[in-house]
Amino acid sequence: MASVDVVDETFLVVPRAVVAAAFAPPSAWRRFWPDLDLHVYLDRGEQGLRWTVGGALTGTMEVWLEQVLDGTLLHYFLRAELPDDVPAKRVRREVRRRQLAAKEVSLGLKMTLEAGRAPGCPPPVS
C-alpha cells in the first residue's frame, strides 16, 4: 500500500465535458499540482485522465469523471510514495496536506464552473 493514499469525491452541477475541459490542458495540471511532474498514461476523454507521478512524490494519480444525474461526480485518487525513507509523522502530514489540496482543487472548480447557477437549478445547457 502506498504511504500517500488520497481519495476524494465532489459533485459538480455541470456537464462532464465541462469538467473534463478544465483538466485537459497540461498548464492546469501545473496550477493544480505545482510540485508534481505528471505524464498521462491513459486519456479517457470525458471520463478523465490517469497519470504517472514524479517530482515530490512517485506513483499514480487519476481524475475519474462520472456522469451522475444533472452533473458530474469528480473522483480523485492519488497513490504515491515520498522519495526518501521518512518518519511516520512526516508521512501523516503529507497525507493531510494532499487531502486538503485535493479538496481545494475540486471545490475551486465547483465554485468556478457553477458560478451564476442558482441553488436547486440545473446546469446551463452548453
Side-chain angles (χ1 to χ4, degrees):
M1 181 171 156
S3 59
V4 178
D5 190 4
V6 177
V7 177
D8 185 66
E9 294 180 336
T10 303
F11 185 71
L12 292 84
V13 187
V14 293
R16 183 168 60 174
V18 173
V19 182
F23 285 105
S27 60
W29 313 342
R30 183 59 60 193
R31 190 174 63 255
F32 297 146
W33 305 287
D35 62 340
L36 300 180
D37 297 322
L38 303 176
H39 300 279
V40 173
Y41 73 86
L42 185 58
D43 184 340
R44 300 174 64 217
E46 286 188 9
Q47 293 181 5
L49 293 162
R50 292 180 182 165
W51 298 271
T52 57
V53 176
L57 299 171
T58 303
T60 62
M61 186 167 73
E62 177 179 2
V63 168
W64 168 36
L65 306 174
E66 180 183 11
Q67 185 174 328
V68 176
L69 300 173
D70 61 350
T72 305
L73 187 56
L74 165 59
H75 303 270
Y76 172 79
F77 306 95
L78 172 64
R79 293 187 173 90
E81 299 292 338
L82 289 159
D84 298 315
D85 191 26
V86 296
K89 185 175 181 177
R90 179 163 175 232
V91 171
R92 287 191 302 273
R93 278 196 316 251
E94 184 66 15
V95 168
R96 184 66 178 148
R97 185 173 83 80
R98 297 292 173 172
Q99 290 169 332
L100 293 172
K103 196 47 87 176
E104 184 177 331
V105 168
S106 62
L107 291 179
L109 283 174
K110 184 174 184 64
M111 297 298 290
T112 300
L113 299 177
E114 289 184 10
R117 183 190 68 83
C121 293
V125 177
S126 43

